[in-house]
Amino acid sequence: MSYILHLGHQPTDISGVAGLLSTDAAGFDGTLDVNGIRFNGSRTLAAPFAVGFPAPVGDMWLGFRYVPPNSDSESITQSNAGFLEFFDAENVRIAQIRPLTTTNRYHTEAHGDTLIQGSSSYFAPNGQAQWVDVRLSVAAEITIEFYVDGVLQSSATAANISGKGKPVQVVFTNSGLHGNNSSRTWYYAHIAVLDGVSTIGRRFVRRIPNAIASFNEMTGSIDALSDGDIATRVASNTAGQRMSFSLTGPTGPATVSAIAGVHLKQIAQAGTDGPDATVGFLRMGGVNHDASPVTVPDLAPVPVYSSWAVNPVDASPWSDLSLPNEVGILSA
């Protein structure tokens, strides 16, 4: 089973960002993706967006790249300023990271049986790109830790005798993040949510289908898988049909310490008849390496992740030389 709960910042990945994608170079890491989410507004702008995911078994880790507002003033002047809020399956807020007017810093809050607020060392620097990581643990206690560029900035722990649940949604509250009345610009990109695996120092390269390869057994064009439009799809009416393709897009940083895994993401939905499960696969050396099938609902499309921690050919660690050139999807 994949530890991936969510990957991506495209409109097909998360709600509330349609029309906000930007190719401004400041907004994303060009070795990982081709765009970022761009906001522009005054200090009173409230433009939340949300990321939903299955409840984690272990601790939830959230990671993303953040470029704070390019404000001449670091002050927080809105009492309703918000950065991140976390909710359980009952839509109860269990934790948040909140900028405070009293300190001009971003503080963690654990919302257990009582609200516990942590101290903070984090000022949002003027337009400076950084990596944000959050660990959220929910059990007999709720603990939230807030890291920036790998350094712990704030943490809070509250008792949870009342039994609030594990997180299933993070809302990027995205309000009052600067104190200047003039319009300012800020960005988010490369959003990842992992189950029990730290996001600190972990980066994900997004590549998309390019051209049909060994298999083309499904109905629909390869373009439907790469156009960023959830309404355009390929379909299968018989279990066992495959579609495989080459990939295009960024190839990652020039230097990496290790490649932790290869992940294939689909957004899939069952029909009224025919197969109701889907599988991701890698094709290497003329051999198909199938992941485990996942049953998908017919009510609405859902993300499906297939993961390979090691090279399935020989169980060796991945390297930039062994990464697959052909991947695909299989109906089941």
Side-chain angles (χ1 to χ4, degrees):
M1 181 178 177
S2 177
Y3 56 83
I4 303 294
L5 299 178
H6 172 89
L7 287 179
H9 61 260
Q10 309 303 309
T12 51
D13 302 316
I14 55 180
S15 59
V17 299
L20 296 172
L21 290 187
S22 168
T23 56
D24 289 354
F28 63 98
D29 183 335
T31 69
L32 306 178
D33 212 323
V34 297
N35 55 37
I37 304 171
R38 179 183 183 273
F39 288 93
N40 180 267
S42 68
R43 67 185 184 188
T44 58
L45 175 71
F49 63 94
V51 175
F53 45 87
V57 176
D59 294 349
M60 183 223 72
W61 281 87
L62 166 70
F64 59 96
R65 187 179 187 267
Y66 176 48
V67 180
N70 60 335
S71 174
D72 294 331
S73 171
E74 292 180 341
S75 64
I76 303 296
T77 59
Q78 298 298 117
S79 60
N80 65 339
F83 186 48
L84 301 171
E85 299 183 11
F86 300 88
F87 295 86
D88 69 10
E90 301 298 321
N91 202 34
V92 174
R93 184 166 57 195
I94 53 177
Q96 68 177 329
I97 297 174
R98 188 160 73 95
L100 296 182
T101 59
T102 53
T103 65
N104 293 326
R105 300 179 182 184
Y106 290 27
H107 292 254
T108 52
E109 290 184 357
H111 291 240
D113 301 326
T114 59
L115 190 159
I116 302 297
Q117 186 177 90
S119 61
S120 177
S121 56
Y122 177 70
F123 285 104
N126 176 3
Q128 180 178 316
Q130 53 216 272
W131 286 89
V132 169
D133 299 282
V134 179
R135 183 181 77 89
L136 179 54
S137 173
V138 178
E141 295 180 324
I142 295 174
T143 295
I144 181 170
E145 297 174 344
F146 171 47
Y147 297 82
V148 177
D149 290 335
V151 178
L152 181 64
Q153 305 289 334
S154 181
S155 64
T157 298
N160 185 34
I161 297 173
S162 59
K164 292 181 178 178
K166 289 179 176 288
V168 298
Q169 185 185 62
V170 55
V171 175
F172 287 69
T173 322
N174 204 36
S175 61
L177 296 178
H178 64 90
N180 197 301
N181 278 322
S182 301
S183 288
R184 301 296 176 184
T185 301
W186 62 102
Y187 304 87
Y188 304 90
H190 317 304
I191 299 170
V193 183
L194 308 184
D195 184 354
V197 174
S198 172
T199 53
I200 295 176
R202 194 174 291 254
R203 306 289 182 260
F204 295 90
V205 182
R206 185 175 74 96
R207 310 198 77 205
I208 62 174
N210 180 41
I212 288 291
S214 300
F215 300 97
N216 190 19
E217 299 169 349
M218 297 184 182
T219 302
S221 167
I222 185 69
D223 296 336
L225 299 182
S226 58
D227 62 5
D229 183 353
I230 201 169
T232 59
R233 309 178 181 186
V234 300
S236 170
N237 57 13
T238 303
Q241 291 182 326
R242 295 180 186 268
M243 176 178 277
S244 66
F245 34 83
S246 61
L247 299 170
T248 187
T251 55
T255 303
V256 296
S257 59
I259 298 175
V262 171
H263 311 281
L264 188 151
K265 178 178 182 176
Q266 307 176 54
I267 299 177
Q269 180 178 4
T272 55
D273 55 22
D276 61 0
T278 186
V279 182
F281 71 93
L282 311 180
R283 185 167 175 83
M284 305 175 70
V287 177
N288 300 326
H289 299 275
D290 299 346
S292 299
V294 176
T295 300
V296 293
D298 60 5
L299 292 177
V302 295
V304 175
Y305 295 95
S306 302
S307 294
W308 293 264
V310 295
N311 186 336
V313 173
D314 56 9
S316 62
W318 289 111
S319 74
D320 56 348
L321 298 178
S322 66
L323 291 173
N325 295 315
E326 181 180 354
V327 306
I329 54 178
L330 165 67
S331 59

